[in-house]
Amino acid sequence: MKKQKFGRIIMTTSAAGIYGNFGQANYSAAKLGLLGLANTLAIEGNKYNVYCNTIAPLAGSRLTEDIMPPDLLASLKPEYVAPLVLWLCHEQCQENGGLFEVSAGWIGKLRWERTRGQIVRQKNKPMVPEAVRDQWDKICDFTDPTKPKSIQDSMALMVNVLSDVESEVKANPTAAEGSILGIDPAQAVGQKLPSSSFTFTHTQCILYALGVGMSTKDPDHLRFLYEGHPEFSCLPTFGVIPSQSTIMEGGLSSIPGLNIDPTQILHGEQYLEIYRPLPTSGILTSETTIADLLDKGSGALILLDVNTYSDGELVAYNQFSVFVVGAGGFRGKRTSEKAKAAVPPPKRAPDAVVTDSTTRDQAALYRLSGDWNPLHIDPSFAAMGGFKAPILHGLASYGFAARHVLKQFANNDPSRFKAMKARFVKPVIPGQSLQTEMWKEGNRIHIQCKVKETGDVVLAGAYVDLHNTSEASPENLNQGGALRSDLVFTEIGRRMKDAGSELVKKVNAVFGWEITKDGKNAAQWTIDLKNGGGSLNKGPYSGKVDVTFTVSDEDFMEVVQGKLNPQKAFFSGKLKVRGNIMLSQKLEVILKDYAKL
């Protein structure tokens, strides 16, 4: 198998090995031993394309024919187990290290779960059984479990535990006890802040554009600075402004389980996603939720999810990552699957570099968009914070970098902007120059922003995702109708605008489609029902696709209209699948309910 770079191994365990069974100690031990062997083979064989999975079948056999009733025996035929084995052995199947129970035509995958656990010792103090007893409920609480997949995942927790034990003394000895009493993730996470409304006119749009460095010196900027321009538009990153008012107005202090000092709050990271071009005037309503609360030892990290609506329609989503200095040590988790991750840039020279000067009044101008923190205007207040002068708002640098990408890669078209993520690293003094380095990889533009004069990195792990110019919309479709499937995807896109968020909750996957015509690739579509409010993309996709389907335009239409059974299409070779084939079961939600012709 190693020589041919291909192999598939199937181990057969038993429910007795997984769960144990009375009177079968030796049998159970042997069967669970097979699972341990299979897990190790999966790890060792992975780099050679040799995958190993384990099944725990319940099937009728000569051993059970005298024990089971005839009708039950008939429903447990080996034929109801074999298709799973065949798929796991198929070259297209990428499953490795999986454990599956299978019987009577039903298949289920098993995984490990582990409680968040509880630290029951303190540094330089003995660990006693009474501490275990007192924390037993938390030790056994599966409310928010982790799902370790490897020994590395298991060991990573131990490293964090050691760090947390140390941080009780090192991080903030005087504040540790107060932090434990003041922060309770069980109470805070999921809580909603009071909703906020933001009323604005074109004046606020123009003020924001000036605040992030736009100028009439550049003719391309006029569409963002002059309300009489035929293409007058709002900069996409203006989407952070309506959402920030909830935080600025002190809404966090009203949340139970979140007793923090507002003077110790730092803005750590920002993610923004735009679902349709922002209006240039009107009323925007924002709903804010505490998405998660992390213990970083020296402080607490609060993830805030903010959905912003215009006339009831979702137009923008923000995730604020807010760090509270000295609020750590409450023995919470350190990472979250809900966090929008920063991404390092490629290890090569940037594809483009843009340098832009800020003015001495840049912060004074940007604060008119609603961030009135005196740190950005009052020298004495800045000095108390340890700065030699008032500093520029992090979100102002964020806006500078975003418009650099729009100009360089999107012809200043705000409708091309999809999303942006950045981590704030070091401050900028108004008057310094911002240098944005950009790397293009598909529709994602990786960026790193620096202070030119010092070389200090201002924005790190940052990127901007752009829509394709040909991205799905009825207006952009080829009116010649060369592909009938275009009509289906257009309908899917239209329905997703209304029900995308609900579909994301139901499906949680990214589907790729390769449509062929006359044996050649004719179109590429991606249905993203995992991120944000969902999206439909035409053309190459820069993100990760969970499963990809290849099918001809004609056969695709036959499947959608119910004339061709998808399973028959798959086994006849008309429908080819790469990736997690099990996700194909969720296609009915997309094709049947949301794109019926």
Side-chain angles (χ1 to χ4, degrees):
M1 290 182 179
K2 288 171 61 176
K3 289 181 179 179
Q4 67 187 13
K5 298 290 185 181
F6 178 83
R8 297 292 184 264
I9 302 170
I10 308 297
M11 293 288 193
T12 303
T13 186
S14 166
I18 300 171
Y19 306 109
N21 194 29
F22 183 83
Q24 290 189 304
N26 54 349
Y27 179 75
S28 298
K31 285 297 185 181
L32 190 58
L34 284 172
L35 177 60
L37 173 62
N39 290 339
T40 298
L41 289 176
I43 295 169
E44 294 180 350
N46 187 60
K47 65 180 179 180
Y48 301 108
N49 193 28
V50 177
Y51 298 159
C52 184
N53 293 282
T54 306
I55 63 169
L58 177 60
S61 68
R62 286 177 295 174
L63 291 174
T64 57
E65 63 184 0
D66 295 331
I67 302 173
M68 295 181 177
D71 55 343
L72 178 58
L73 196 66
S75 66
L76 298 177
K77 295 179 180 178
E79 288 92 327
Y80 298 148
V81 174
L84 170 61
V85 175
L86 290 172
W87 167 241
L88 291 173
C89 291
H90 197 279
E91 62 181 4
Q92 291 183 355
C93 182
Q94 297 300 300
E95 186 70 36
N96 189 26
L99 171 61
F100 301 89
E101 287 188 287
V102 53
S103 68
W106 172 88
I107 302 170
K109 184 176 182 180
L110 282 75
R111 68 182 179 194
W112 290 102
E113 279 196 350
R114 180 173 63 190
T115 69
R116 293 285 171 182
Q118 186 70 16
I119 298 174
V120 293
R121 76 176 180 93
Q122 294 179 322
K123 187 178 180 182
N124 299 327
K125 292 184 179 180
M127 180 175 167
V128 296
E130 289 82 3
V132 179
R133 176 201 62 198
D134 294 344
Q135 298 295 335
W136 191 247
D137 287 346
K138 290 183 178 180
I139 292 170
C140 300
D141 183 4
F142 275 94
T143 301
D144 183 24
T146 61
K147 302 174 181 66
K149 298 178 181 178
S150 67
I151 195 169
Q152 288 78 16
D153 289 349
S154 177
M155 293 301 296
L157 176 68
M158 298 306 107
V159 175
N160 290 339
V161 167
L162 293 173
S163 174
D164 287 346
V165 171
E166 291 294 319
S167 70
E168 286 184 9
V169 174
K170 290 184 178 179
N172 193 338
T174 60
E177 185 179 3
S179 297
I180 294 171
L181 295 175
I183 291 185
D184 184 357
Q187 288 190 61
V189 174
Q191 291 283 341
K192 294 184 179 297
L193 278 67
S195 62
S196 63
S197 293
F198 178 76
T199 303
F200 68 110
T201 66
H202 63 270
T203 303
Q204 280 75 27
C205 300
I206 295 170
L207 264 178
Y208 175 80
L210 293 169
V212 297
M214 287 204 145
S215 168
T216 55
K217 294 178 182 179
D218 190 331
D220 290 344
H221 290 181
L222 204 58
R223 68 179 296 179
F224 302 104
L225 298 174
Y226 174 41
E227 71 281 4
H229 192 281
E231 295 181 326
F232 179 60
S233 304
C234 194
L235 273 171
T237 45
F238 182 74
V240 303
I241 299 301
S243 61
Q244 72 181 3
S245 60
T246 303
I247 302 169
M248 299 297 176
E249 292 166 6
L252 288 176
S253 61
S254 66
I255 299 299
L258 205 58
N259 183 18
I260 57 176
D261 181 355
T263 65
Q264 298 300 305
I265 291 178
L266 300 175
H267 192 175
E269 299 182 11
Q270 184 71 28
Y271 177 83
L272 167 68
E273 187 166 352
I274 300 294
Y275 299 112
R276 69 176 179 85
L278 298 171
T280 55
S281 63
I283 300 175
L284 298 176
T285 303
S286 294
E287 304 286 344
T288 305
T289 304
I290 308 294
D292 220 336
L293 191 54
L294 308 180
D295 186 352
K296 295 296 186 179
S298 61
L301 186 68
I302 306 171
L303 296 180
L304 296 162
D305 283 351
V306 188
N307 288 316
T308 299
Y309 302 86
S310 175
D311 294 327
E313 182 179 357
L314 182 65
V315 295
Y317 161 73
N318 280 271
Q319 184 176 87
F320 290 79
S321 299
V322 177
F323 189 78
V324 186
V325 178
F330 54 91
R331 298 170 184 171
K333 61 183 181 180
R334 299 178 68 88
T335 60
S336 172
E337 295 177 353
K338 299 175 184 177
K340 298 291 185 180
V343 181
K347 295 181 179 180
R348 57 180 174 83
D351 298 315
V353 179
V354 173
T355 302
D356 216 343
S357 296
T358 66
T359 69
R360 287 197 61 182
D361 296 320
Q362 202 72 58
L365 186 57
Y366 183 85
R367 70 190 299 267
L368 300 180
S369 289
D371 187 341
W372 304 104
N373 190 334
L375 177 67
H376 306 293
I377 190 72
D378 185 341
S380 58
F381 195 91
M384 286 191 292
F387 301 104
K388 62 181 181 182
I391 61 174
L392 185 62
H393 306 69
L395 285 175
S397 302
Y398 188 89
F400 266 82
R403 65 177 184 77
H404 290 164
V405 171
L406 280 180
K407 182 175 178 64
Q408 191 71 29
F409 294 101
N411 197 29
N412 268 339
D413 180 0
S415 69
R416 294 281 311 282
F417 182 98
K418 180 181 180 182
M420 180 173 178
K421 170 71 181 185
R423 183 171 68 248
F424 304 111
V425 182
K426 288 195 174 181
V428 178
I429 304 298
Q432 291 180 324
S433 299
L434 286 171
Q435 182 173 285
T436 303
E437 301 169 337
M438 294 167 270
W439 294 260
K440 187 177 189 304
E441 292 199 337
N443 290 338
R444 173 162 291 181
I445 314 300
H446 296 270
I447 54 178
Q448 180 172 265
C449 200
K450 298 178 178 179
V451 174
K452 183 182 179 182
E453 290 82 359
T454 64
D456 289 342
V457 175
V458 176
L459 302 179
Y463 62 84
V464 173
D465 285 337
L466 299 174
H467 290 295
N468 286 323
T469 52
S470 59
E471 191 154 53
S473 69
E475 304 83 38
N476 291 336
L477 279 178
N478 180 355
Q479 298 300 317
L483 294 176
R484 295 172 63 203
S485 55
D486 281 355
L487 299 173
V488 179
F489 286 107
T490 303
E491 176 65 8
I492 291 173
R494 187 180 72 80
R495 299 292 179 91
M496 283 174 61
K497 289 181 180 179
D498 299 327
S501 297
E502 288 301 314
L503 284 172
V504 168
K505 292 179 183 178
K506 290 181 180 179
V507 178
N508 191 33
V510 180
F511 298 89
W513 290 89
E514 295 174 349
I515 305 297
T516 65
K517 191 173 181 66
D518 299 327
K520 298 179 181 179
N521 286 336
Q524 211 174 331
W525 294 88
T526 307
I527 303 173
D528 183 348
L529 291 176
K530 179 182 283 188
N531 302 299
S535 63
L536 177 68
N537 303 283
K538 186 175 184 180
Y541 183 69
S542 60
K544 180 183 177 183
V545 176
D546 295 307
V547 59
T548 300
F549 303 92
T550 302
V551 64
S552 72
D553 185 54
E554 181 181 357
D555 290 334
F556 177 85
M557 295 303 297
E558 293 281 302
V559 170
V560 171
Q561 293 174 320
K563 298 178 181 179
L564 176 61
N565 181 284
Q567 289 183 334
K568 290 183 178 179
F570 173 73
F571 286 112
S572 66
K574 292 183 177 181
L575 176 65
K576 298 179 181 178
V577 185
R578 300 195 309 272
N580 187 351
I581 192 172
M582 298 304 177
L583 291 173
S584 61
Q585 299 173 16
K586 297 186 177 182
L587 280 178
E588 186 177 6
V589 176
I590 305 169
L591 298 180
K592 183 177 179 181
D593 296 339
Y594 290 91
K596 194 178 291 182
L597 295 183

